[in-house]
Amino acid sequence: MTDMPLLQADSSISCAISGPATQCANRDAIYLDYAATTPVDPAVARTMNDFLTVDGAFGNPASATHAFGHAASEAVGSARQEVASLLFSQPEEIIWTSGATEAINLALKGAALARQECGDHIVTSALEHRAVLDSTAWLETQGFATTHVKPDGTGTITAENLSKALRPSTIVVSLMHVNNETGTVTDIAALEPLVRQCGALLHVDAVQGAARLSMEDIAAADMISISAHKMYGPKGVGALRVRGRLRAELVPQIHGGGQELGLRSGTLPTHQIAGMGHAARLVRQRRTTDAKHVRALDRRLCAHVDRIEGVEVNGDRQHRVPGILSVSFAGVEAEALMVALGGVAISSGSACTSAEIEPSHVLLALGYDTDRALSSVRFSFGRFTTAREIDRAGQLVRKTVTALRRIGR
Ligand SMILES: *Cc1c(COP(=O)(O)O)cnc(C)c1O
């Protein structure tokens, strides 16, 4: 069994032979793994180029003594405004990080350490990304306790189940907006008052929702983590939105030059930040167009999938964002399916766990058995996916599933 989808292995081999990475892209390959990472919008890539070379604004945004620094600082300021607008926030509430993993670490560790006098209890769910689960696991080694709220059968975190998990000693609650494996949407607006009543801080992992849904519903959260590379921006940059006074409380996790109100030291990567800002603007401008496009593709893919026997949608078909679809094919190993598909890039769970053969912790948390989890694949798509690609992928999946079942029999 290979650790990586064949597509990746193939392209790296042809890379080594044929030279520049730009020649690697297989023209016939179909990319349906947008939940792992999105391509950078070409307009965003052009913007980023303006902040690198000697004829661009390459200066250190912290250099207050010359125009090179001012130009970079100005670009960072506009990007901060763009990301704040996306999150229905104020620019000063945005803290740049290296991605959502770092934002989540800062949010959870920073808030737990800040509030340890008030309690030692953290609440999250079993459906979270590893960045959340492993940050809270680390906090447990520091004397904190974690409760994982159980989702209902559809993968939804209900008010009832959250209430049962909350205690007077709860200081931080972390929930995701849109699940990266099933696309299930959590009704943050309905849960937020419960967290507030309890006196705890609410952090929302909004990575997968940022490019797909309005962030207005989650704006009441104290902290929000997002990542540029899941919203048509570059990898290696993200942001933590920290509300009002909490900024003075949060305990920094990286120490140094005191950038970002001392909450995240380190020279700001102007090109990355400008890229994320531009990506955030495009997401807002194109929200309706992108959503309509993805909804149509989603219906199309569902129609293909529904023609295959022994298929089940994981999570909840209804309370799901279009563009993330997890399905299980009874009796078909996901790893075998992905290898046989070759030119269709999909995932058997989150990309972060695809190097392990362990079944997805999300699917197990939904109450599915190991067999179902190991026969599940995730299709995710977006702005640059075409109807033709969905049709070709749908036909190929159907053909391959049928063939694998015939061999298996
Ligand atoms: C990708 C992802 C992350 C991690 O983001 P990075 O910027 O890659 O560190 C966190 N949460 C969810 C839901 C994700 O999909």
Side-chain angles (χ1 to χ4, degrees):
M1 194 172 302
T2 51
D3 284 345
M4 260 186 273
L6 195 59
L7 176 75
Q8 264 177 322
D10 266 1
S11 47
S12 60
I13 290 165
S14 71
C15 245
I17 299 165
S18 64
T22 46
Q23 295 180 3
C24 290
N26 178 350
R27 282 179 194 286
D28 295 327
I30 301 171
Y31 185 75
L32 300 180
D33 206 8
Y34 275 58
T37 195
T38 56
V40 175
D41 192 287
V44 169
R46 283 192 294 274
T47 293
M48 293 176 67
N49 265 318
D50 295 341
F51 299 93
L52 293 166
T53 48
V54 72
D55 53 346
F58 66 87
N60 187 329
S63 300
T65 53
H66 51 67
F68 296 88
H70 298 165
S73 169
E74 212 161 280
V76 168
S78 341
R80 204 185 292 280
Q81 178 68 63
E82 294 295 351
V83 169
S85 299
L86 180 73
L87 297 178
F88 293 82
S89 307
Q90 299 306 314
E92 61 273 18
E93 296 179 318
I94 304 301
I95 308 295
W96 301 114
T97 64
S98 62
T101 298
E102 190 195 329
I104 291 166
N105 272 262
L106 174 57
L108 300 186
K109 296 175 186 172
L113 295 172
R115 292 280 170 101
Q116 56 186 330
E117 308 281 285
C118 313
D120 64 354
H121 186 234
I122 298 162
V123 170
T124 185
S125 87
L127 304 172
E128 303 301 309
H129 189 272
R130 288 243 71 93
V132 169
L133 296 177
D134 292 357
S135 291
T136 56
W138 180 82
L139 283 164
E140 284 177 35
T141 70
Q142 305 300 301
F144 294 89
T146 312
T147 299
H148 295 93
V149 188
K150 284 212 164 52
D152 69 7
T154 66
T156 309
I157 302 297
T158 61
E160 198 191 341
N161 287 354
L162 177 60
S163 296
K164 279 190 227 155
L166 294 171
R167 301 178 194 162
S169 61
T170 308
I171 47 172
V172 182
V173 175
S174 185
L175 295 171
M176 69 203 317
H177 186 208
V178 172
N179 187 272
N180 51 307
E181 292 198 34
T182 59
T184 307
V185 183
T186 306
D187 189 351
I188 298 293
L191 302 178
E192 185 267 339
L194 293 175
V195 179
R196 206 153 296 284
Q197 269 166 35
C198 175
L201 294 167
L202 177 62
H203 167 255
V204 175
D205 172 351
V207 172
Q208 293 292 346
R212 301 173 191 276
L213 300 172
S214 164
M215 296 283 95
E216 197 167 7
D217 285 350
I218 65 164
D222 299 288
M223 297 175 284
I224 301 173
S225 294
I226 58 170
S227 178
H229 79 95
K230 307 281 176 84
M231 45 182 261
Y232 310 102
K235 292 165 191 60
V237 63
L240 177 66
R241 196 292 295 264
V242 187
R243 242 158 84 106
R245 284 205 308 269
L246 183 58
R247 278 172 296 153
E249 255 189 87
L250 218 57
V251 177
Q253 300 301 304
I254 291 181
H255 304 93
Q259 289 89 344
E260 301 300 276
L261 310 163
L263 282 174
R264 204 287 191 172
S265 286
T267 300
L268 293 176
T270 319
H271 63 301
Q272 304 280 80
I273 290 170
M276 184 166 188
H278 193 163
R281 181 161 85 247
L282 288 180
V283 160
R284 282 197 306 137
Q285 287 172 347
R286 301 184 46 120
R287 172 96 61 210
T288 319
T289 324
D290 281 349
K292 197 171 152 220
H293 174 66
V294 173
R295 215 178 309 123
L297 296 178
D298 197 89
R299 271 198 294 271
R300 217 173 172 102
L301 180 63
C302 282
H304 281 287
V305 165
D306 283 339
R307 287 173 61 205
I308 307 173
E309 271 173 56
V311 174
E312 272 178 291
V313 173
N314 296 321
D316 189 47
R317 217 180 240 259
Q318 306 309 326
H319 300 103
R320 173 179 75 80
V321 286
I324 301 181
L325 181 71
S326 170
V327 293
S328 71
F329 298 106
V332 176
E333 257 183 52
E335 297 295 320
L337 177 59
M338 291 192 302
V339 170
L341 278 173
V344 183
I346 53 176
S347 156
S348 64
S350 73
C352 309
T353 51
S354 72
E356 305 160 19
I357 316 160
E358 274 169 33
S360 143
H361 69 274
V362 172
L363 299 181
L364 295 183
L366 289 177
Y368 304 146
D369 59 24
T370 305
D371 277 355
R372 177 159 175 184
L374 289 177
S375 64
S376 295
V377 293
R378 175 190 68 191
F379 300 91
S380 55
F381 40 93
R383 188 179 292 168
F384 303 106
T385 312
T386 64
R388 199 169 152 264
E389 288 177 315
I390 293 288
D391 287 347
R392 272 187 47 221
Q395 283 152 8
L396 264 169
V397 168
R398 181 153 174 249
K399 226 175 67 186
T400 313
V401 165
T402 311
L404 286 173
R405 280 186 179 145
R406 204 170 296 137
I407 298 165
R409 221 179 286 136

